[in-house]
Amino acid sequence: MQVTRMVEPLLPYCRRLWPTSLAGLSVTLLKATALDLAILAGHLLLYPSGIIQERRGPAVPALPDEGGAEDPARLPTRATPPVVLLHGFIDNRSVFVLLRRSLAQHGRHRVESLNYSPLTCDIRIAAELLGRHIEEICERTGSSRVDVVGHSLGGLIARYYVQRLGGDARVRTLVTLGTPHGGTRVAPLANAHPIVRQMRPGSQVIEELSRPAAGCRTRFVSFWSDLDHLMVPLEAARIDHPDLLAENVQVSGIGHLALPVHPAVATGIRQALDTDWTQAARSAAQNDDLTVA
């Protein structure tokens, strides 16, 4: 990408200052940081546009296998559930502008971005509100299930809804991007915020998510990055639960903020949403981690 070209003149100096193995890592980290800073700058410009909750469009007629009557004048269309996008901590729906466009360009026209209040102090309450939103979406669209993509904290909220509040009846596939499934130790000073404390290893919320979840009907796909500066340790963004059908996808060379923006990740998300249960089980059995960037 053009943003990373800014650091190319520094490459010879990096190689001289650090051993070869460290120099390669440092250059990659430098590029990822530059990309994250560029994304942050762009996101700050878009942030005001995402403060207001998204306007809900008119109900979309259900496709034939979702209970609707088939229109003889309409070409056959593969039924896909609505996609719900859920942002991270101190963020809003504007973070999904590019991902939403990518999904729409590839046939996912029923995409909705949800905002939860920045004053939210409990993951459980946010998960209950998510459940109400999803029920409303299903009623309005005529679909019995949805797919969810959650970035960072948004993925943890969605997972709590699925595992602890019966949301597996509504969520077909949950894709998480840089979500602290095992809890993260980053920025200890942020513990003043109660929702940050719930994202710590050993918190009650993290403990509840580690409990048995036999029969969970939702498929999980977790994207985690080897340069995610908000995940300490990095593996905290992986899902490791014996009762869940989960696939962990490793993304190389990009940071936390780039996960909902990077085109390679968007391609991986589309593939995850288009994969059926049989393919998912086979993929989870054969692949532990995949590099997509």
Side-chain angles (χ1 to χ4, degrees), residues 10-24 26-27 30:
L10 301 176
L11 299 186
Y13 300 100
C14 291
R15 295 191 181 97
R16 290 179 184 177
L17 291 174
W18 292 289
T20 304
S21 58
L22 293 179
S26 301
V27 170
L30 200 59

Side-chain angles (χ1 to χ4, degrees), residues 273-288:
L273 297 181
D274 290 340
T275 302
D276 61 30
W277 274 93
T278 304
Q279 292 174 314
R282 186 182 305 116
S283 177
Q286 296 178 352
N287 300 296
D288 182 30

Side-chain angles (χ1 to χ4, degrees), residues 3-292:
V3 176
T4 61
R5 293 178 183 172
M6 299 167 55
V7 300
E8 288 182 357
L10 301 176
L11 299 186
Y13 300 100
C14 291
R15 295 191 181 97
R16 290 179 184 177
L17 291 174
W18 292 289
T20 304
S21 58
L22 293 179
L25 176 61
S26 301
V27 170
T28 302
L29 180 60
L30 200 59
K31 289 182 177 181
T33 302
L35 179 58
D36 258 7
L37 289 175
I39 290 171
L40 177 61
H43 187 39
L44 288 176
L45 294 176
L46 290 174
Y47 191 92
S49 67
I51 294 176
I52 301 175
Q53 192 69 265
E54 183 177 68
R55 291 184 179 181
R56 307 296 178 223
V60 178
L63 294 172
D65 64 347
E66 292 183 312
E70 184 174 2
D71 182 356
R74 185 178 180 178
L75 293 176
T77 306
R78 182 171 58 85
T80 56
V83 180
V84 179
L85 307 177
L86 196 61
H87 62 80
F89 183 56
I90 315 179
D91 208 340
N92 62 39
R93 62 187 177 86
S94 62
V95 73
F96 291 119
V97 168
L98 295 181
L99 176 59
R100 182 173 189 149
R101 182 181 303 170
S102 175
L103 292 172
Q105 289 174 342
H106 290 81
R108 291 278 184 155
H109 300 296
R110 297 186 298 176
V111 181
E112 301 199 10
S113 303
L114 301 182
N115 279 352
Y116 55 87
S117 171
L119 302 179
T120 300
C121 293
D122 195 313
I123 288 175
R124 303 176 189 87
I125 294 176
E128 291 177 1
L129 293 175
L130 172 62
R132 296 176 195 171
H133 279 298
I134 289 178
E135 289 297 327
E136 186 272 331
I137 290 171
C138 288
E139 181 179 356
R140 175 161 43 84
T141 63
S143 178
S144 61
R145 306 193 82 184
V146 302
D147 291 331
V148 179
V149 179
H151 179 226
S152 196
L153 173 61
L156 205 60
I157 291 171
R159 182 179 171 188
Y160 193 93
Y161 164 65
V162 166
Q163 273 188 246
R164 306 298 299 170
L165 302 179
D168 62 317
R170 286 298 194 191
V171 179
R172 186 190 69 155
T173 301
L174 170 57
V175 177
T176 65
L177 312 172
T179 291
H181 293 288
T184 178
R185 297 186 180 92
V186 74
L189 296 179
N191 281 345
H193 198 293
I195 210 165
V196 173
R197 294 197 295 271
Q198 291 184 335
M199 291 190 286
R200 297 302 192 198
S203 73
Q204 188 173 351
V205 167
I206 298 298
E207 189 277 328
E208 288 181 42
L209 292 176
S210 68
R211 295 176 186 173
C216 182
R217 290 162 284 185
T218 297
R219 171 186 168 233
F220 297 82
V221 181
S222 175
F223 288 80
W224 66 288
S225 173
D226 57 2
L227 292 178
D228 191 332
H229 58 284
L230 294 184
M231 294 298 109
V232 180
L234 292 173
E235 291 77 14
R238 293 170 49 96
I239 296 179
D240 294 307
H241 193 296
D243 294 334
L244 301 181
L245 177 59
E247 180 181 0
N248 294 298
V249 182
Q250 181 179 346
V251 182
S252 298
I254 65 174
H256 188 80
L257 296 178
L259 286 168
V261 176
H262 200 284
V265 179
T267 299
I269 293 171
R270 296 197 311 267
Q271 292 173 346
L273 297 181
D274 290 340
T275 302
D276 61 30
W277 274 93
T278 304
Q279 292 174 314
R282 186 182 305 116
S283 177
Q286 296 178 352
N287 300 296
D288 182 30
D289 288 314
L290 302 174
T291 300
V292 299

